[in-house]
Each structure stands twice: as structure tokens, then as C-alpha cells.
Amino acid sequence: MVPSDQLPKNYDFAEVEERWRKTWRDEDNYFDRNSKKPQFVIDTPPPYPTGNFHIGNALNWCYIDFFARYKRMKGFNVMFPQGWDCHGLPTEVKVEEINKITKNDVSREEFRNMCRDLTIKNIEAMRITLRKMAFSTDWSNEYITMMPKYYSRTQLSFLRMLASGYIYQSEHPVNYCTRCETAIAFAEVAYEDRETTLNYFDFDGVEIATTRPELLAACVAVAVHPGDDRYHKLRGRSMKVPLFGHDVPVVQDEAVDPAFGSGAVMICTFGDKQDVHWWKQHNLALRKAIDRQGKMTDIAGKYKGLNTTECRKAILTDMKEKKILRRQEKLAQRVGTCWRCKTPIEILSERQWFIKIKPDEIQKAAHQITWFPEHMLRRMENWVEQMEWDWCISRQRIFATPIPVWFCTKCGEMVVPDEKDLPVDPTLVKPDHPCKKCGSTSFSGEVDVLDTWMDSSISVLNVTGWDGNGNPPYFPAQIRPQGHDIIRTWAFYTILRSVALTGQKPWDEILVNGMVLGEDGFKMSKSRGNIIVPEEILVKYGADALRQWGAMGAATGSDIMFNWNDVVAASRFQTKMWNITKFALMQLEKGGFDEHEPVTALADRWLLVRLSDTAEQVSAAMEAYQFDVALKAIREFAWDVLADNYIELVKGRLYQQDTSRRSACLVLHTAFDALCRMLAPFTPYFAEECYSYLKGESVHKQPWVTFSYDDEAARKEGNLLVQVVAEIRKYKHESGLALNAPLGKVTIYAPHTVNDEGDTGRTLNADVHWRTDVAKLDRVITDVDFNRSVIGPTFRKQAGAFMNAVKALSPAELANPPKAIMLDGVETAIPENAFTPKFSYMEEGAKVDVITVGEVIVTIAKK
Ligand SMILES: [Zn+2]
Ligand SMILES: [Zn+2]
């Protein structure tokens, strides 16, 4: 053990954290495939490699590391893998920006390589932050979704689901971002409130209101409610579309709201989801007026080539000119936008690839998973209940997993590669055999690529060892930690894919964390300037303080507001703990205690009871992933119970040389050892530093605290002892006495015997007597308080004489004052409220101060 006088005075987090980071070995966190221990596999989220590990990630990973470390101490074989979800548009955009090109300026392969290089660089930067944060990552299980090893599994999963009928291709309306030039899934549509204009115009004699006049070219019908008498005459007729002149049928549908506008609406392909519904319902024609770039098509006639905004303007101008635009009004609207670029989405009918959604099997699996917090399951249920369309998985981009499919250019037959040949890029290689249907050797590779969620939704299959041959060896995983913002994407898709590929739920449990809000309570954003980056906190206060903030900031699942004060408080706690450490080590290094000797003193037994309670509370909280509850209990024990109460109480005893000192040392050792182990998951650097001085071993290789101590008498008497001492110390402080100043005689009248072995006397520097009889106290008047605001105006110059006369009264007279008093020989009335008697207590003839603590009476005869 290092001598305590060699410990630095202040805890230097920067020096300590760096030293341990260099000492720790990656191998200690590896999942052991030969272990007999129960497995605990974590389906860690693979972050998007932006190069910046943001504060939301940090919170998410703090939670993961808390329970990963806890489970290891509990004897589990833990896998805490680290993945990187590489593919996607943001990287493509970044590459275009950095290299000042567009994706069409270079070959697909070259563009993909540029994306790959940028991603590798970003991953490297993020790994450094992960290490600084002391996350106990299993680097032997790192995966990178853009690497062949991973995306061949994505392709394998695609082929398997294609073969089992889950995946199909079809022309169907899909959500489409014309800026990103790709289809997107429903889960990727973000809704925004905007203001738009509602335009009322004459549609072949009927007034129709629309927010999207540019879709007039795509009008395929006019719909009215079947009960709307105004439109009886239109039944079975067709109408002429203004400006364009094509005829469209009038259809009747219960879903039309007769109270909205004129009660007649136009159906376009496609303005919204309702249009898609009606289009299918009434088997209407398809008119594509907007192309993939968001430009008007041939059928828009003279408006061809305009973008939708330009076309809207031009059509409204023409309507005004033709005098068919009747009026316009402002309308608040919720617009579906692309979640990545915020461009309003269009619904375009496209040939795309889809995955069939089978709500029942997803619901069933979701219910077999334990959700923390429980109410998050409801979000999943709601999402599944409202699913109308299948999941569109094809994207018209480049940096993504290729769809491993060719088409015969002669007969159109679809050809897939052998599983052993994966991964393949069908735009670069050809099938190794001719078309089975027509014998042609001419093929075209699918140029569409897969949605990024197709990669990340098999993360759990990947880490549990799925290779397509039967169930993966470590499947299902034990837990999925993730944010509540991606329940309807990542959680939903993972459940869907696991059920489709294995018939089972992906995990036993799912732990959902909240979002991190800025100090102003708003979502962090560049425009608000409220972004906090983990690196800034790491430099100022260190990783352990940031981790404590993550644990304490909010209940698991709730959004958490970032607050520098919480980080400062965390760092103060470390300072306090460091002082405890130095004190404990100084006492313990004097040695002489024996682990097998009984603990006898009341304060010592009491501390063990409180430690036992704390260990139980913290363990229960860790099992339920309530990190705020766990850390709060640890901090309270360390700060209030151990430092402020116990150590103060036994300090005096520790300087003696007898068995009672040995008892205190043993307790100090037990408590300090347990504290380090309970802190290990939260503050791994700090706990390691303290424990290394105590035992010379790594705290992270110790078992979790299972300390249990039952002593009801010690709990009851000890609580009383601690409370009484705290009150007397408070009294000393309020009386202006130093805490170690001699106090005189203190008698404590308690309801039962308390044998404190002299601790109270030593800590108060007083002659302390614990008694169980009743205090015999006389309450006497020893002085008066004068009310000068009454006396002054009444007696003026005689005020002093009046007060002297009152003071001369006997205690009996003061208790029951006369109506009048002699003042300069004149009988003078005593005004009301002129004074109040002051009482004191006398015990055995001496004046004492009295404190009551519940049922306990304490008398203090000061020196
Ligand atoms: Zn977009
Ligand atoms: Zn063919």
C-alpha cells in the first residue's frame, strides 16, 4: 500500500485518467467464446460516423457502460461490441462538399471509395473519444457496416428474405425526396408545421379548393360525398380539368368531408396518402406530373421542366388570367419532409423493393421483450398499429449496400448470386451462368441500393454470429440500448428482421434512453447555439464527472437537460471522496485490524447496517437500470453517512490504541472497499485510482458488492446516536463554538440504553452521560426581554428607571406581573407588552441549555 503521505493533496483527474487509460488492456473487456459464465450480449447502437461523438451518444454509451461493467462484476461473460453504421446520404453530401464534385462527376466505384476514406477517418476520431470516456468496449467485436465482411451478411439477409417472400419489388407510390433523389421510408418522414395558401378555383363549374395547384396536371378524378345533395347531378359524369383539358370521372366516397371547402375535392397522383388510398379504391388512372428531380414532366404541357414551386406560381397566374381563381386564404398545415434535408416529400409511383410488414408477428415479439421503461412498448405498439404501407428498402443512391440482383436483358428474368459469392456489386460483376429461362448471357445489374436500416437492423444478428446456418450461437442478445427517437426505425426494423430470419425476438430486454437537451431546455441545434460537445466537458472536468452527469441527470428514459452545475457537483463529489480516501488510507496503513475480529462499537455496527442497506438499494437499482437512483444512494452513503456522520463520530477513537480502534478500522476498510466497487461502473478511473491504493489490484476485476449485515438494535440506537450528535454539533456551531472546543457536561436522556463506547464524548469534546431516566429540570425566569417600541414612547427619559424597576421584581412577580410599579415614588401602570420574561432551565442547581431531539432530551452545562 502506498503511504498516505505520498498521495497528492488534490485529485488530478487529467493525470489519473490518462495514466489508467494507458494501463488498461483491451483484452480485459473481450467476450470469451470459451467461457462457462452466463452470456450478456449487448446490441450496441452503431453510430453514424460523422467524426463527432455527440453528447446524445455519450449519454447512451454511459448507460451501456454502467451496466456492462456491472454485469462483468456480477459474473457475466459480457459482449459490449462497437459498430459503425456507415452508409447513407450525409457522407455522400460531405464528400461532394469536400471534393467540390457531384456524385455524377466520377464513377460509382470512385465515389464509393471517397466515401469509404472519409468514413474511416471519422471512425478513427470517434474511437478516441470512446476511449477517453472509459467505455469498456469489446474491440474484438467491432464491426463496420461498409466492410465486405458485414455487408455480405446484409446481402445474405436480403436473399433469404427474397426467397421466403418477405421481399418483393413492385411499382407502388412511395415517399420520395427530390433533393436527395431517393425513395425514403415512412419512418424517415418528419412532419413540420408550415403555413400555406388554400386556393379556391372554378373546376368545370364546381368550386374546388387545393393547396397544390401544380398537381392539376396529375388530376385523375373529382370526389364528392355520396350524401352531398349539391352534387347529385354530377353522378356518373366526367369533368374537364381546367388549363389542361383532360376529362376525369366524378367518384363518390364516404371519406370526403362535405364541410371542407365546397365539398368537392380533386384526386391527384399523388398529393398525399389519402390520394393513394382513393387511387387504389377507385382503380383510377396514374398521371405522373413530377419526376425524380422534382421537375414537371411531359404531361404538364407548357409547364414541363419547371420545379414544383415555379409551376405553382405559373398556374396561379394563369388561373387569375382566365378568371377561374375565386379566392385564396391562409392555411396552417403539417407537411411531411425528408428527415435528413427537410425538403417536403413527394409521393411518387416508382418501381421499388419492399419488405412485407406482418404486424401480428412484430407485436408478438415486441411483447416478449422486457421494455425499460415499460411505457416505451406503447410507442412500438402505436407505430405497428398504424402501418399501412410496406417498408420501402430501395434507395437511388451510391454509398450503400448493393442489391445483389441482375435482370436478363432478353427475357427480364431475375437472377441472384450464389450465397458463397457474396458480397457482390451487380453493377461491376455479371452472373457466372447464362439465364436459366432463355440462355442469354446479357444481364443488367440492379443499380438501386439498400436503405441503411437494412444494414443496421441486422446488428444483433451480426454480433450473435449469424451466418445463415441455423440460429446464431449467441442469439437472442440480452439487451438493446437505444434512444426513444429511433423506436419506430431501428427497434422496429430489428424486430421485423429477426422474426423474419430466425422466427425469434432479437433481445430479452430493451433499454430506452432519452434525448439530451441544451441548457436552455431546447433540443441542441447549431442555430440555437446550445450545443455542448463531450470533448469540452472532458477537458474541463474529466470523464468521470461527465459520466456521473449521465447517471444523475434524469430517470432512465426521460429527456435530460445538460447542466454544467451537475458536472461541477460531480467533480465536487470526487474531491470529497478523495479526502475520505486519504483519511481512510492514513488510518488503515497504521494497520493492526483483523478481518475476523468482531465489530462491537455501536457506531461501527450502525455503519455496517447502513452499508448493507445501501448495497441492497444500489444492486436493486442497477438490476432495474435506474442509474440515477443507484448513484444517488452511493453519493449519500459516502457523503452523509460515512464522511459527515460516521468518520466524525469515530475520529477520536481512531487515535486510541485498543480493540475499539481496530473495530473502527475494520469498518472503514469494509465501507471503503464496497464504495470503490459500487462506484466502479460509474467512475471507472476514480474508483480504480482509490482501489489501487487500498488493495493494489484493479477494482474492475472485483466481484460486485454483496455485503449484508443485519442488526436491528444497531440501526435503531445508531440512528439515535447519529442524530443526537448532529444536533449537538449544530448547537455548538450556533453558539459560536469551534467544533473541537470543550463543551462541558452533556447529559442525554434517551428512551433506551445507548452504549456509544465514548464516541459521543470524544467527538463533542465533552463529558457525556447517556441516561434512561427522566430529566429533572426546573424552568425558571432568569431575565426579561424589553419591548423598546412600547417603553420608549411611554416613559421617555424614565425608560431606564422603568427597566431597572422591572429587573428588580422577583421571579414570581415576573411570571405574574403586577398592574403597576413604583417609578420615582409614583405608582405607574405597566403598559401592555412592555416586556416578556425569559426562561432558563436549571438542573441540579446549575443553569443548562436544553435541546430536544424527538423523544430525547439533552442538557448541556457549559464550562
Ligand atoms: Zn432529402
Ligand atoms: Zn433470360
Side-chain angles (χ1 to χ4, degrees):
M1 212 152 67
V2 174
S4 59
D5 55 8
Q6 286 181 21
L7 290 181
K9 189 169 177 297
N10 297 313
Y11 181 72
D12 178 358
F13 73 83
E15 186 274 323
V16 172
E17 295 191 356
E18 198 192 332
R19 174 156 44 80
W20 286 117
R21 194 159 54 242
K22 286 178 176 161
T23 312
W24 287 335
R25 304 176 324 145
D26 282 354
E27 300 88 276
D28 291 338
N29 298 324
Y30 288 176
F31 179 73
D32 179 1
R33 288 176 199 275
N34 301 315
S35 173
K36 294 270 181 291
K37 293 177 185 174
Q39 71 166 45
F40 192 83
V41 175
I42 304 163
D43 182 16
T44 321
Y48 198 76
T50 54
N52 295 306
F53 193 77
H54 62 72
I55 189 104
N57 294 140
L59 175 70
N60 198 175
W61 263 253
C62 279
Y63 284 7
I64 303 171
D65 200 51
F66 297 157
F67 66 71
R69 289 182 180 277
Y70 168 72
K71 291 288 179 183
R72 273 189 213 107
M73 294 175 86
K74 287 283 282 183
F76 287 86
N77 181 23
V78 173
M79 189 200 291
F80 177 3
Q82 181 59 55
W84 304 98
D85 184 17
C86 311
H87 289 135
L89 193 67
T91 300
E92 292 191 15
V93 173
K94 202 84 205 163
V95 161
E96 289 178 330
E97 242 174 62
I98 294 172
N99 299 290
K100 298 188 177 64
I101 53 162
T102 74
K103 66 181 198 298
N104 305 320
D105 294 343
V106 292
S107 73
R108 280 172 78 97
E109 195 48 27
E110 198 176 332
F111 190 72
R112 212 172 258 165
N113 283 337
M114 289 165 130
C115 292
R116 222 167 271 161
D117 291 346
L118 176 65
T119 304
I120 294 284
K121 219 176 79 199
N122 286 346
I123 289 176
E124 200 40 61
M126 292 171 82
R127 281 191 191 123
I128 292 170
T129 312
L130 286 169
R131 286 186 182 275
K132 280 190 188 162
M133 291 286 298
F135 297 138
S136 56
T137 310
D138 174 356
W139 292 106
S140 71
N141 277 293
E142 188 183 27
Y143 62 89
I144 301 178
T145 61
M146 68 178 180
M147 293 303 187
K149 188 177 169 213
Y150 191 96
Y151 82 80
S152 59
R153 284 184 175 176
T154 306
Q155 289 191 329
L156 176 62
S157 70
F158 174 91
L159 293 179
R160 289 292 173 92
M161 287 176 73
L162 182 66
S164 62
Y166 267 96
I167 290 180
Y168 63 93
Q169 57 164 344
S170 121
E171 162 131 10
H172 189 276
V174 291
N175 293 302
Y176 201 93
C177 174
T178 53
R179 198 211 70 87
C180 301
E181 287 183 48
T182 183
I184 60 174
F186 249 107
E188 294 170 318
V189 178
Y191 289 90
E192 276 187 20
D193 291 316
R194 291 187 185 182
E195 194 178 70
T196 184
T197 310
L198 186 60
N199 308 284
Y200 292 85
F201 66 102
D202 185 334
F203 190 114
D204 200 6
V206 172
E207 184 179 88
I208 280 185
T210 181
T211 57
R212 304 208 50 196
E214 70 274 21
L215 283 175
L216 209 51
C219 179
V220 291
V222 168
V224 295
H225 192 275
D228 194 336
D229 293 342
R230 292 171 291 181
Y231 300 114
H232 269 317
K233 55 180 186 342
L234 290 180
R235 276 188 196 159
R237 266 192 48 193
S238 65
M239 295 173 75
K240 202 167 276 300
V241 177
L243 303 184
F244 292 92
H246 60 282
D247 289 328
V248 295
V250 176
V251 300
Q252 299 183 63
D253 198 291
E254 297 276 351
V256 179
D257 177 7
F260 180 78
S262 65
V265 294
M266 63 175 190
I267 302 175
C268 304
T269 51
F270 298 93
D272 57 19
K273 240 166 111 179
Q274 182 62 49
D275 278 347
V276 177
H277 185 77
W278 278 330
W279 173 72
K280 280 193 203 161
Q281 189 90 357
H282 299 284
N283 208 8
L284 299 168
L286 178 69
R287 290 177 66 88
K288 298 186 189 182
I290 298 171
D291 71 9
R292 291 175 168 212
Q293 281 83 40
K295 298 261 163 59
M296 303 312 293
T297 64
D298 286 341
I299 67 162
K302 65 182 258 209
Y303 308 102
K304 182 190 169 184
L306 298 181
N307 68 33
T308 50
T309 317
E310 293 161 347
C311 178
R312 181 183 313 194
K313 253 192 207 156
I315 286 191
L316 288 172
T317 307
D318 289 348
M319 281 181 168
K320 271 180 202 158
E321 209 162 89
K322 291 214 154 52
K323 300 203 167 27
I324 56 170
L325 184 65
R326 292 189 180 164
R327 61 201 157 92
Q328 294 178 297
E329 58 190 41
K330 293 274 173 246
L331 184 75
Q333 199 188 25
R334 298 209 75 197
V335 184
T337 62
C338 168
W339 78 335
R340 298 234 190 256
C341 75
K342 300 287 171 237
T343 304
I345 51 128
E346 295 292 349
I347 298 176
L348 303 184
S349 183
E350 292 274 344
R351 184 193 68 91
Q352 300 285 355
W353 294 87
F354 296 90
I355 285 186
K356 257 188 209 136
I357 288 173
K358 302 180 180 175
D360 292 347
E361 59 181 39
I362 296 169
Q363 294 281 29
K364 193 177 147 209
H367 279 263
Q368 288 167 350
I369 297 162
T370 308
W371 292 68
F372 295 93
E374 216 184 324
H375 66 261
M376 293 293 176
L377 170 60
R378 197 59 216 137
R379 294 205 188 183
M380 174 61 76
E381 289 174 337
N382 287 342
W383 178 243
V384 180
E385 276 163 21
Q386 61 148 84
M387 289 312 286
E388 282 180 46
W389 298 2
D390 285 339
W391 172 19
C392 175
I393 54 166
S394 44
R395 299 288 181 272
Q396 291 69 50
R397 300 295 313 184
I398 294 174
F399 186 46
T401 297
I403 295 180
V405 159
W406 296 273
F407 297 97
C408 170
T409 48
K410 206 165 167 198
C411 75
E413 179 75 353
M414 180 168 65
V415 178
V416 296
D418 282 345
E419 287 181 359
K420 66 171 173 43
D421 295 332
L422 297 177
V424 302
D425 183 343
T427 64
L428 296 181
V429 294
K430 295 283 172 216
D432 56 7
H433 50 81
C435 171
K436 284 196 178 112
K437 204 167 160 196
C438 74
S440 162
T441 52
S442 167
F443 297 95
S444 69
E446 173 64 272
V447 290
D448 279 6
V449 291
L450 289 172
D451 178 3
T452 311
W453 296 111
M454 280 294 280
D455 294 329
S456 61
S457 58
I458 58 160
S459 61
V460 65
L461 289 168
N462 178 62
V463 299
T464 54
W466 183 75
D467 58 7
N469 300 315
N471 266 348
Y474 305 106
F475 189 84
Q478 276 51 62
I479 193 165
R480 152 67 68 85
Q482 66 160 71
H484 65 59
D485 56 330
I486 49 175
I487 288 178
R488 50 187 226 179
T489 47
W490 195 38
F492 172 75
Y493 293 144
T494 306
I495 295 175
L496 188 167
R497 303 259 276 141
S498 295
V499 173
L501 290 161
T502 71
Q504 286 183 54
K505 64 175 178 184
W507 341 277
D508 298 330
E509 298 178 337
I510 179 168
L511 174 68
V512 182
N513 65 273
M515 302 294 107
V516 180
L517 308 174
E519 283 192 286
D520 53 5
F522 288 99
K523 204 178 155 184
M524 286 191 190
S525 71
K526 267 192 194 142
S527 57
R528 281 191 185 276
N530 62 352
I531 293 178
I532 303 280
V533 290
E535 292 290 340
E536 191 185 344
I537 308 167
L538 290 177
V539 169
K540 285 184 180 156
Y541 295 97
D544 284 335
L546 173 54
R547 294 170 61 107
Q548 285 192 62
W549 161 80
M552 291 287 278
T556 306
S558 305
D559 287 347
I560 165 171
M561 213 192 286
F562 181 78
N563 191 339
W564 280 107
N565 290 337
D566 293 346
V567 181
V568 173
S571 126
R572 263 197 217 121
F573 171 68
Q574 282 164 211
T575 302
K576 182 79 181 182
M577 264 301 289
W578 185 242
N579 292 334
I580 299 174
T581 304
K582 284 186 297 181
F583 177 80
L585 292 172
M586 184 179 76
Q587 293 304 327
L588 296 176
E589 75 189 8
K590 292 182 197 157
F593 68 93
D594 178 350
E595 277 183 48
H596 305 290
E597 244 177 85
V599 167
T600 48
L602 173 60
D604 299 346
R605 286 156 54 216
W606 172 78
L607 197 274
L608 293 185
V609 169
R610 294 299 301 266
L611 175 63
S612 174
D613 290 350
T614 305
E616 192 184 330
Q617 217 181 336
V618 173
S619 301
M622 292 305 280
E623 286 296 322
Y625 305 105
Q626 292 171 334
F627 308 116
D628 56 330
V629 176
L631 185 55
K632 192 159 168 272
I634 296 170
R635 278 197 195 174
E636 270 171 17
F637 177 80
W639 200 303
D640 304 341
V641 178
L642 183 64
D644 287 356
N645 287 309
Y646 178 76
I647 291 181
E648 287 305 328
L649 201 53
V650 303
K651 241 180 199 168
R653 177 143 53 93
L654 285 164
Y655 292 105
Q656 299 190 328
Q657 287 303 334
D658 58 14
T659 50
S660 72
R661 175 190 132 76
R662 295 212 292 273
S663 172
C665 281
L666 175 53
V667 167
L668 209 52
H669 183 272
T670 308
F672 186 59
D673 177 332
L675 255 181
C676 288
R677 284 188 282 151
M678 288 191 287
L679 275 171
F682 296 103
T683 56
Y685 292 120
F686 184 81
E688 186 79 321
E689 180 74 356
C690 296
Y691 201 79
S692 73
Y693 288 121
L694 182 72
K695 292 276 182 97
E697 293 169 27
S698 172
V699 72
H700 302 296
K701 290 187 179 149
Q702 309 307 315
W704 181 251
V705 177
T706 50
F707 184 77
S708 175
Y709 185 85
D710 191 18
D711 186 339
E712 262 320 298
R715 180 197 307 278
K716 202 167 126 197
E717 288 172 30
N719 280 344
L720 184 79
L721 168 68
V722 164
Q723 209 186 352
V724 167
V725 169
E727 285 300 321
I728 303 173
R729 283 163 58 89
K730 199 167 114 197
Y731 160 87
K732 258 184 131 170
H733 178 74
E734 284 166 359
S735 312
L737 291 168
L739 288 178
N740 58 359
L743 189 57
K745 185 183 172 196
V746 174
T747 312
I748 306 167
Y749 297 90
H752 46 79
T753 320
V754 173
N755 175 13
D756 71 358
E757 301 216 12
D759 285 341
T760 320
R762 280 186 295 267
T763 189
L764 296 171
N765 195 4
D767 173 22
V768 171
H769 302 267
W770 287 84
R771 293 170 60 159
T772 52
D773 57 336
V774 177
K776 289 189 190 70
L777 294 171
D778 293 320
R779 189 167 179 261
V780 293
I781 295 170
T782 51
D783 202 356
V784 282
D785 270 337
F786 291 103
N787 186 350
R788 282 165 205 278
S789 66
V790 172
I791 295 164
T794 314
F795 297 104
R796 300 189 183 269
K797 281 182 179 165
Q798 283 183 302
F802 172 77
M803 292 194 282
N804 284 334
V806 171
K807 279 184 189 162
L809 293 172
S810 71
E813 285 170 315
L814 281 172
N816 211 345
K819 294 251 182 308
I821 200 168
M822 292 302 284
L823 202 55
D824 295 337
V826 181
E827 193 175 73
T828 311
I830 298 179
E832 236 173 84
N833 299 323
F835 63 86
T836 40
K838 265 169 79 175
F839 292 91
S840 287
Y841 288 97
M842 304 291 288
E843 184 180 32
E844 290 164 7
K847 192 180 156 208
V848 290
D849 285 345
V850 176
I851 306 172
T852 55
V853 185
E855 301 173 77
V856 177
I857 308 242
V858 180
T859 65
I860 300 161
K862 272 193 269 191
K863 261 200 173 149

